């Protein structure tokens, strides 16, 4: 399956998808020391976003959340790529400063946790299945 | 987006790594929000200054931007820090936090940012004029700049404001464009507004009435509002309604450009009174922190506190928070001496919202609707919401 969206930040990455239909707050919602989602009641609560292609509709919360992505990247705990339905300031800035490939405006409901996903940030393309 | 040759050169790295990063941020935001071009900005206010919010990650990023040659191209000031930069020990700040906070300010200083740490930059020399494009963070100051001054800014975050400082640009979308400054709803106020608390309560009522709709209101029925009233109102309506711009005929400069929208929401005296009551959940006997200065106090307010405290002794911890240049004038005029002789503290650079004091006090007395929100949500304090002079009386009680 090939989904074509919009470039937010360039770079190529692939990995196992971690998909949620809920918005993510990186500040306060994700533990910057471990990469584990800690927001109470979140679908991904208790799961690590590290090394995954993180798929979620949009970001929310404090703009300081951009720095959480930066901190995770420096610790080797960031997602390898991010796919959004509609990207907003916090996630976009986080991806730029942490240099995480990011694509938005793709139909994320077609992606499932556990799928192998390749992200091409420059072309705005998300592909699933074996390469 | 269409970039000028100079903007394209910044994006290509001609002005160094930090400027390239900054331009990448702005081009991406411009793309997300449908901007066709950049506008030049004349003033920037950066948020994300308190080490309590930034953490090690934020500090590392700022240090990297300073190291990478980032320099502010326009007048840039800072939001409050987590402590009084010169006199942090009396606030109960630990030495490790103080050292980290100093590293944050050093990184900003290396980038040529003016390190006055205040949420009221417009009172201490960062004062844009009508119609200027600016890039400000700090929701209360954004609302004040757009509404009261008639300057033009979106609600920036820390990194996007810094990016504007390092490039002198911001993408032209949102409140930079004429069409988005048009009011969409009329708020008819049928109540008497005098104190900062009345204006703070009005902000909360409007927030509830608009139910999360991000619309620009025109607020009619307000006959008079001082600078201090407007400062309080901006903080409240930004906190409770997410508003970045309102118009107030006879008071704000752009109001006359537009007619009042047909959709009208009325606000009664009973609703203002109920909102004011809802901001108090503490009994007077529980108050162990009294604070004025959210947003940071004007010189007139500091002078009033000195007048009320002269020759008296406070019985509770009392933080009087303001920008350092205002404190320096208070020092010069002898207000500081009177306040300190009364046992209160005049605190610069920080406030009761951003200082790392979660759980340290039981209940806060204040005249700020915004401070009540954060005292409860962030610091787990109860609150007592009362007019300015009564807050001073509470400190003496």
């Amino acid at each position: 399956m090939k989904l074509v969206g919009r470039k937010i930040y360039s770079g190529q990455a692939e990995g196992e998808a971690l998909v949620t239909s809920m918005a993510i707050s990186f500040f306060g919602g994700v533990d910057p020391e471990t990469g584990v989602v800690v927001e109470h009641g979140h679908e991904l609560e208790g799961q690590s976003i590290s090394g995954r292609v993180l798929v979620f509709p949009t970001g929310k919360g404090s703009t300081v959340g951009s720095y959480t992505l930066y901190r995770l990247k420096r610790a080797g705990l960031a997602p390898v790529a991010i796919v959004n339905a509609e990207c907003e300031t916090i996630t976009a800035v986080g991806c730029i400063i942490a240099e995480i490939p990011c694509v938005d405006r793709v139909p994320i409901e077609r992606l499932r946790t556990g799928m192998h996903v390749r992200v091409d940030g420059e072309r705005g393309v998300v592909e699933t299945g074996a390469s | 987006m269409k970039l000028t040759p100079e903007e394209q050169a910044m994006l290509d790295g001609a002005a160094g790594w930090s400027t390239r990063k900054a331009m990448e941020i702005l081009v991406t935001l411009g793309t997300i929000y449908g901007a066709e071009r950049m506008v030049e900005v004349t003033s920037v206010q950066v948020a994300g200054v308190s080490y309590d919010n930034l953490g090690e990650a934020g500090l590392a990023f700022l240090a990297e931007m300073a190291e990478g040659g980032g320099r502010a191209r326009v007048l840039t000031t800072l939001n409050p820090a987590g402590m009084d930069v010169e006199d942090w020990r009396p606030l109960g700040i630990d030495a490790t936090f103080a050292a980290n906070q100093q590293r944050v300010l050093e990184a900003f200083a290396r980038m040529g940012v003016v390190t006055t740490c205040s949420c009221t930059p417009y009172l201490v020399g960062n004062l844009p004029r009508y119609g200027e494009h600016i890039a400000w963070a700090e929701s209360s100051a954004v609302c004040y700049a757009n509404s009261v001054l008639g300057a033009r800014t979106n609600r920036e975050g820390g990194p996007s404001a810094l990016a504007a400082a390092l490039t002198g640009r911001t993408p032209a979308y949102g409140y930079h464009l004429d069409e988005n400054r048009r009011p969409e709803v009329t708020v008819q106020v049928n109540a008497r507004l005098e104190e900062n608390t009345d204006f703070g309560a009005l902000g909360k009522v409007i927030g509830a009435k608009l139910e999360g709709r991000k619309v620009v209101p025109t607020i009619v029925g307000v006959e008079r509002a001082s600078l201090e009233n407007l400062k309080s109102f901006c903080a409240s309506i930004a906190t409770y309604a997410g508003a970045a711009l309102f118009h107030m005929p006879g008071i704000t400069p752009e109001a006359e450009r537009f007619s009042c929208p047909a959709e009208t929401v009325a606000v009664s005296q009973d609703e203002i009174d109920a909102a004011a009551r809802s901001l108090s959940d503490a009994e007077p006997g529980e108050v162990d922190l009294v604070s004025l200065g959210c947003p940071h106090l004007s010189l007139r307010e500091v002078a009033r506190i000195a007048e009320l405290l002269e020759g008296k002794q406070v019985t509770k911890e009392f933080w009087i928070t303001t920008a350092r240049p205002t404190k320096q004038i208070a020092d010069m005029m002898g207000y500081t001496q009177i306040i300190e002789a009364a046992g209160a503290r005049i605190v610069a650079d920080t406030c009761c919202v951003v200082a790392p004091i979660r759980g340290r006090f039981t209940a806060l007395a204040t005249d700020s609707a915004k401070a009540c929100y954060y005292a409860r949500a962030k610091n787990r304090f109860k609150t007592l919401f009362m007019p300015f002079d009564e807050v001073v009386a509470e400190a003496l009680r």
Side-chain angles (χ1 to χ4, degrees), chain A residues 16-73:
Chain A
E16 195 183 312
L18 179 65
V19 184
T20 175
S21 61
M22 293 171 74
I24 291 181
S25 169
F26 289 100
F27 181 68
V30 177
D31 182 347
E33 306 279 344
T34 62
V36 172
V37 175
V38 292
E39 181 179 331
H40 192 67
H42 199 283
E43 275 173 9
L44 299 184
E45 187 178 359
Q47 298 197 57
S48 171
I49 64 173
S50 303
R52 310 290 286 272
V53 173
L54 182 61
V55 182
F56 58 103
T58 194
K60 63 174 182 177
S62 167
T63 57
V64 182
S66 304
Y67 295 131
T68 303
L69 281 171
Y70 179 80
R71 182 167 175 185
L72 289 170
K73 179 64 181 254

Side-chain angles (χ1 to χ4, degrees), chain B residues 104-150:
Chain B
V104 170
L105 296 178
E106 282 159 19
F108 280 121
R110 283 183 67 191
M111 289 188 272
V113 172
V114 176
T115 52
T116 47
C117 303
S118 178
C119 50
T120 59
Y122 48 88
L123 293 179
V124 291
N126 192 352
L127 179 66
R129 65 167 168 72
Y130 183 86
E132 279 189 315
H133 294 284
I134 63 175
W136 280 19
E138 169 49 38
S139 63
S140 73
V142 164
C143 189
Y144 192 96
N146 271 324
S147 311
V148 180
L149 303 177

Side-chain angles (χ1 to χ4, degrees), chain B residues 166-239:
Chain B
L166 302 188
T167 58
R169 304 292 197 282
T170 198
Y173 70 94
Y175 296 112
H176 292 284
L177 306 179
D178 269 336
E179 61 263 32
N180 299 321
R181 301 181 69 84
R182 178 171 294 284
E184 297 153 280
V185 61
T186 301
V187 176
Q188 171 70 51
V189 179
N190 303 310
R192 232 176 119 77
L193 307 178
E194 286 177 357
E195 298 281 350
N196 289 345
T197 42
D198 300 328
F199 283 86
L202 175 62
K204 186 162 190 278
V205 172
I206 293 173
K209 297 242 172 195
L210 297 184
E211 296 175 323
R213 287 166 64 205
K214 293 280 178 286
V215 290
V216 177
T218 278
I219 301 163
V220 297
V222 180
E223 284 178 17
R224 291 170 50 190
S226 66
L227 180 154
E228 290 79 6
N229 293 154
L230 291 166
K231 171 164 76 73
S232 286
F233 179 65
C234 288
S236 180
I237 196 173
T239 299

